[in-house]
C-alpha cells in the first residue's frame, strides 16, 4: 500500500475514534445528567434504599437499647423491693429486740426500786428470775446484702429518681446500725458482768436464791449495767420510732403495698436453703 493510501486510512480511523469517545463537555451530556437528577424513579429507589438502611439501624440498636433499659429498670425495681423488704424485716427484728429489752428493763427497775432492804418482798422465784434474766443471751444474725447492693447500684438511684426517698432509705440503715450498736453495747456489758459473776461462783453453788441474788446485784459492774439500761431502752424507743416512720413514708411515696413486700419475703423464703444444703420446698 502506497503512502498516499495509508494517510487517508489513518485519518479515517482517527475520525471514528473521536466519534466513539464521549464528550463530557458537550451539552448533550449535561442534559442527560440533568434528566437523571430529575428522574423520580431514580430518587424513589435511592431514597427507599437509604431509608431502609437507616430504619434497619434504628430498629436494631433502638430495640437493643430498649430491651437493655427495660431489663435494667426491672432489675432496679426488684432491688428496691428487696431493699424495702430487708428494711421491713430488720425493723421488725429490732422491734422484737426492743420489746425484749423493755420486759427486762421492767424487771430491773422493779428490783432496783426494792433495794437495798425490800428485795425479799419478791420471793425466791422472782430472785431466781432476776438472776436468769440478767444472764440470758441471744444470738442475732444480720444480712447486709440488700444494703450493699442498694448503696452501690447507680441504676437503682436512677430508677427511684427521688433524692428524698434515697435519703430516707440511707437514714433508715444509718439509724438501724446505731440501734444495733447500742443494743449490742448494753448486751455485751451485761454478759461481761454476768460472766465475771459466774466465774467467781456459779448461781447453783450458792445455798439459796437470796445469796445468789445478792452476790450478783452487789457487784459494781452489775450495778453499772442496771444504771444505764433504762437510758439505752429509752434511746432505742425514740430512734426506732423515727426509723419506722421513715420506712413507712417511703412505701407510701413509692406506692408499694405491704402485701407486695410480704410476697417478696415469701418468695425469698421459698428459695432459701436449709442447714443440710438442700433447697427448701
Amino acid at each position: 500500500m502506497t503512502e498516499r493510501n495509508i494517510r487517508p486510512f489513518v485519518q479515517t480511523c482517527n475520525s471514528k475514534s473521536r466519534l466513539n469517545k464521549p464528550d463530557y463537555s458537550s451539552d448533550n451530556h449535561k442534559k442527560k445528567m440533568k434528566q437523571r437528577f430529575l428522574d423520580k424513579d431514580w430518587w424513589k429507589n435511592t431514597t427507599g434504599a437509604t431509608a431502609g438502611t437507616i430504619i434497619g439501624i434504628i430498629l436494631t440498636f433502638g430495640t437493643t437499647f430498649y430491651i437493655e433499659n427495660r431489663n435494667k429498670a426491672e432489675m432496679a425495681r426488684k432491688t428496691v423491693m428487696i431493699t424495702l423488704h430487708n428494711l421491713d424485716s430488720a425493723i421488725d427484728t429490732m422491734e422484737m429486740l426492743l420489746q425484749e429489752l423493755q420486759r427486762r428493763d421492767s424487771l430491773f427497775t422493779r428490783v432496783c426500786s426494792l433495794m437495798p432492804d425490800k428485795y425479799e418482798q419478791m420471793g425466791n422465784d422472782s430472785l431466781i428470775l432476776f438472776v436468769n434474766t440478767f444472764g440470758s443471751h441471744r444470738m442475732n444474725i444480720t444480712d447486709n446484702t440488700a444494703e450493699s447492693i442498694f448503696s452501690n447500684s447507680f441504676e437503682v438511684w436512677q430508677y427511684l429518681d427521688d433524692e428524698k426517698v434515697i435519703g430516707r432509705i440511707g437514714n433508715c440503715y444509718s439509724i438501724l446500725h446505731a440501734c444495733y450498736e447500742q443494743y449490742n453495747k448494753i448486751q455485751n456489758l451485761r454478759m461481761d458482768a454476768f460472766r465475771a459473776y459466774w466465774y467467781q461462783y456459779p448461781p447453783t453453788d450458792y445455798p439459796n436464791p437470796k445469796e445468789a441474788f445478792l452476790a450478783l446485784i452487789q457487784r459494781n459492774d452489775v450495778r453499772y449495767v442496771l444504771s444505764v439500761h433504762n437510758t439505752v431502752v429509752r434511746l432505742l424507743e425514740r430512734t426506732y420510732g423515727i426509723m419506722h416512720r421513715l420506712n413507712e413514708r417511703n412505701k407510701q411515696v413509692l406506692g408499694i403495698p405491704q402485701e407486695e413486700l410480704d410476697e417478696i419475703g415469701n418468695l425469698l423464703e421459698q428459695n432459701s436453703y436449709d442447714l443440710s444444703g438442700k433447697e427448701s420446698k
Side-chain angles (χ1 to χ4, degrees):
M1 184 178 295
T2 63
E3 182 179 356
R4 182 179 299 177
N5 293 333
I6 292 174
R7 185 174 298 172
F9 175 78
V10 172
Q11 292 177 352
T12 303
C13 291
N14 292 336
S15 300
K16 289 182 180 181
S17 299
R18 287 193 295 269
L19 289 175
N20 293 332
K21 184 178 181 181
D23 186 4
Y24 292 103
S25 62
S26 64
D27 294 339
N28 186 31
H29 179 71
K30 292 180 179 179
K31 289 180 180 180
K32 289 182 179 180
M33 292 299 296
K34 186 175 182 181
Q35 289 177 357
R36 179 177 296 177
F37 183 79
L38 297 177
D39 190 353
K40 294 182 179 180
D41 293 336
W42 182 83
W43 274 108
K44 286 181 180 179
N45 295 334
T46 304
T47 303
T50 304
T53 302
I54 295 174
I55 291 173
I57 295 173
I58 293 174
L59 289 177
T60 301
F61 290 96
T63 302
T64 303
F65 179 76
Y66 170 77
I67 293 175
E68 289 180 354
N69 282 350
R70 186 181 64 181
N71 292 339
K72 288 181 179 179
E74 182 64 24
M75 183 59 66
R77 182 178 183 277
K78 290 181 179 179
T79 303
V80 170
M81 297 287 291
I82 293 175
T83 300
L84 292 179
H85 169 72
N86 177 261
L87 276 175
D88 265 359
S89 300
I91 291 173
D92 290 343
T93 300
M94 179 52 61
E95 181 182 13
M96 179 186 65
L97 297 177
L98 179 57
Q99 291 174 354
E100 181 182 279
L101 285 178
Q102 290 169 336
R103 291 191 297 268
R104 185 181 294 128
D105 189 65
S106 297
L107 176 61
F108 292 171
T109 302
R110 170 65 175 168
V111 171
C112 290
S113 67
L114 296 176
M115 292 300 293
D117 54 357
K118 296 181 180 180
Y119 64 90
E120 292 181 349
Q121 295 178 5
M122 294 188 298
N124 288 338
D125 291 341
S126 296
L127 297 178
I128 294 175
L129 176 63
F130 175 83
V131 174
N132 292 336
T133 301
F134 195 92
S136 62
H137 178 68
R138 173 186 290 273
M139 183 180 66
N140 299 308
I141 299 176
T142 57
D143 183 9
N144 299 322
T145 304
E147 178 187 2
S148 177
I149 294 175
F150 173 81
S151 301
N152 297 284
S153 178
F154 182 70
E155 288 80 6
V156 174
W157 300 346
Q158 283 184 319
Y159 171 79
L160 290 174
D161 195 25
D162 190 334
E163 63 277 5
K164 292 183 179 180
V165 173
I166 297 173
R168 281 192 292 264
I169 292 177
N171 289 336
C172 282
Y173 277 118
S174 297
I175 296 174
L176 184 65
H177 291 319
C179 288
Y180 273 112
E181 182 179 356
Q182 291 299 319
Y183 174 84
N184 291 329
K185 182 179 180 180
I186 191 64
Q187 292 292 88
N188 291 335
L189 284 173
R190 182 175 56 82
M191 291 308 302
D192 288 344
F194 185 80
R195 193 177 296 111
Y197 157 77
W198 197 93
Y199 285 160
Q200 186 174 4
Y201 290 106
T204 55
D205 286 359
Y206 292 92
N208 55 65
K210 175 183 174 181
E211 293 189 20
F213 166 79
L214 290 176
L216 175 64
I217 201 169
Q218 289 175 353
R219 293 179 58 90
N220 289 333
D221 49 3
V222 173
R223 294 170 63 185
Y224 175 75
V225 172
L226 296 176
S227 67
V228 299
H229 195 274
N230 182 262
T231 302
V232 173
V233 172
R234 296 292 173 262
L235 176 63
L236 289 177
E237 288 174 347
R238 289 193 293 269
T239 53
Y240 166 80
I242 295 173
M243 178 174 56
H244 184 268
R245 288 192 295 271
L246 290 175
N247 190 50
E248 292 299 318
R249 178 58 178 167
N250 278 339
K251 290 188 287 186
Q252 180 183 0
V253 171
L254 296 175
I256 300 177
Q258 187 62 45
E259 293 77 11
E260 192 170 356
L261 292 178
D262 293 339
E263 290 180 1
I264 291 290
N266 294 333
L267 181 61
L268 293 175
E269 290 179 0
Q270 292 175 2
N271 293 331
S272 63
Y273 289 82
D274 58 22
L275 295 178
S276 63
K278 298 180 180 179
E279 187 176 0
S280 57
K281 298 181 180 179

